[in-house]
Amino acid sequence: MTLEKKIIDLTVKAVNELYGASLDQASVTLQETRKEFEGQITVVTFPIVRFSKKSPEITGQEIGEYLQTNLEEIVAFNIIKGFLNLTISDEFWITQLNHSICKADFGKFPSNGRKVMVEYSSPNTNKPLHLGHVRNNLLGFSVAEILHASGYEVVKANLVNDRGIHICKSMLAWQLFGNGETPESSGLKGDHLVGKYYVVFDKEYKKQINDLVSQGVTEDEAKKTAPLIRQAQDMLLKWEAGDPDTIELWKKMNGWVYTGFDETYRKMGVDFDKYYYESDTYILGKDTIQEGLDKGVFFKKPDGSVWIDLTSDRLDEKLVLRADGTSVYMTQDLGTAELKHDDFQMDESIYVVGNEQDYHFKVLFLILDKLGKSWAKGLHHLSYGMVDLPSGKMKSREGTVVDADELIDEMVETARQRTEELGKVEGFSAEYKEELYRMIGLGALKYFLLKVEPKKRLLFDPQESIDFQGNTGPFIQYTHARIISVLSKASYSTAPTNEQRVSLTPLERELIVIQSKYPEILKAAAEDYSPALIANYVFELAKLYNKFYHEEPILKAEEDVKQFRLKLSAATAAIIKKGMGLLGIEVPDRM
RNA sequence: GCGCCCAUAGCUCAGCUGGAUAGAGCAACGGUUUUCUAAACCGUCGGUCAGGGGUUCGAAUCCCUUUGGGCGUACCA
């Protein structure tokens, strides 16, 4: 039983014995004691005052005395303005360090027997990945790691959007203007090559629209009748009909894209257990529609289209199948949800998708619930905000995007420059240097994107967004390297548990207190699907360690103090490494 | 029009189920290296938590409302 739990139980008991009232556990509020006061854990007495019918000060005094006599861990207490601050014995904290924090499995929860799918990335195969996708990928990967560490079995899935009119646009443009260009002949990465033709399509298409408009056609009409869009639509029909030439072209160009994506994924350090392709799943969902009709959840309009009425849930009527029997987005998402569940029988399923689809997922989950799918309540949309540039929103077709590959390369390059300027690479091998620059550059980028709450929009200024000082990835990586350096100077390997330490300095105590919070932070991050909680926690830990490092000597301390501080340092490094690992960020031993 | 989300220091962000004088980082200014990595540490400056009501012993946090921004409201995905 945790100390917090003991305090809560005893407080309830104290209220019962002292005031003859029954207080429920939830109304005992504990919080961390503010730094300026003595103590580590604080009981807020205000909720108890109505039972004690005494002033907060007297109530605190009485509860405090009761707790101190009945809990050996509490060695002192003080009351300030109705806040009962409890001082926990140093012995308790030392025991925490020795018997919990130093364990290899600290912060790793045992299996909870539940399976969760995290679907993320879900790219279109007509253009390379950009900064927005990077946020998506890092979020998805990190959430998967966090859920795994908190006891889930995790399946990472990627639903690739590999078909549709937008794919045909790239294919058509390549066919018309490509002159047989290939990744090999052009030296372009496959996804970039295909993306180039997506832009070409748009340019040529606009040209045709302008021509038509200048001939007196309205803009709307021109958009619909321009030869290029007609050809693209024809191509889509041919694709759906299984025309061999079209399929061959599609396979060839998608193959280029996948090769490119694989490289980008590898660079970002993300991976997947299962790929789904929309070219397989887009026909799904019709059975579900029939099921819904049979159950009376859906209804048919006179034209034959199928709808669901969600007005009683304060939403709209929503189309789920066209009059001609073809699918809409919702149709295939219904089918895909069933497919995924049939494949894995997971208890929960997380969709990492941008917040412009909030409404879609709300409706999707609601429909599945109305269809009586027991697993529908385990579905969750992890919605995240767009990444903005100083110039505004990113738009692929207009070329105002921050390309993922370029961004990563630039980050690594900046890391190289910074590191060399600091003159820290003497004696490092060429291989290690490359590895280090990659770690730091990527660490900076990942931390920058993950430290912000997912649902918030994010402003990315290429000129100044990514720093290497303060609340950044490199700061935390540096702290880790520093600790490893001290440990290696002391030839420290394993933690002795029998040093004679009995009292702690304030900074040592603070460090153990914050270290012991790691498991609950991990749990909260898993519940909220929020890597940001981990990021902010690790930063606090690193910051506190740096202060400790600066103020209290380690190697020059007396032997038993030295051993203790080494152990404290090793524990800090281990938590930093684990925490950063949950964010997909590696930490170097030297930098 | 309707629905959802956001608004905290000059900038980028924390702030747990309401709790003590609202916290970091960056930027600016000033200090700290013959001592374990100065990508660090310490200090100064900086806020009517968008505005207004309400609930409460107590509100950045909950409710209502106004304003500003974003997204959605497609037989696109």
Side-chain angles (χ1 to χ4, degrees), chain A residues 349-352 365 376-383 528-529:
Chain A
S349 196
I350 319 290
Y351 292 77
V352 184
F365 299 163
K377 51 188 176 305
L379 302 174
H380 185 264
H381 174 205
L382 175 48
S383 163
D528 295 355
Y529 309 117

Side-chain angles (χ1 to χ4, degrees), chain A residues 450-467:
Chain A
L450 289 173
K451 74 173 178 187
V452 180
E453 268 310 303
K455 76 173 168 187
K456 297 226 184 171
R457 296 177 74 89
L458 198 79
L459 178 72
F460 182 86
D461 185 339
Q463 297 309 310
E464 51 184 280
S465 266
I466 306 256
D467 236 309

Side-chain angles (χ1 to χ4, degrees), chain A residues 5-6 25 48 66 171 188 254 281 487 548 570:
Chain A
K5 186 78 173 58
K6 282 188 197 170
Q25 301 218 341
I48 303 172
Y66 185 94
M171 285 160 60
L188 274 176
N254 269 356
T281 63
L487 296 179
F548 162 77

Side-chain angles (χ1 to χ4, degrees), chain A residues 410-421:
Chain A
E410 278 169 27
M411 291 305 307
V412 173
E413 185 50 35
T414 308
R416 175 199 312 280
Q417 283 173 17
R418 294 296 294 262
T419 308
E420 284 174 359
E421 275 167 24

Side-chain angles (χ1 to χ4, degrees), chain A residues 9-30:
Chain A
D9 285 353
L10 262 183
T11 304
V12 170
K13 226 173 134 196
V15 170
N16 190 21
E17 288 182 20
L18 295 171
Y19 314 122
S22 68
L23 181 72
D24 69 295
Q25 301 218 341
S27 45
V28 181
T29 12
L30 294 189

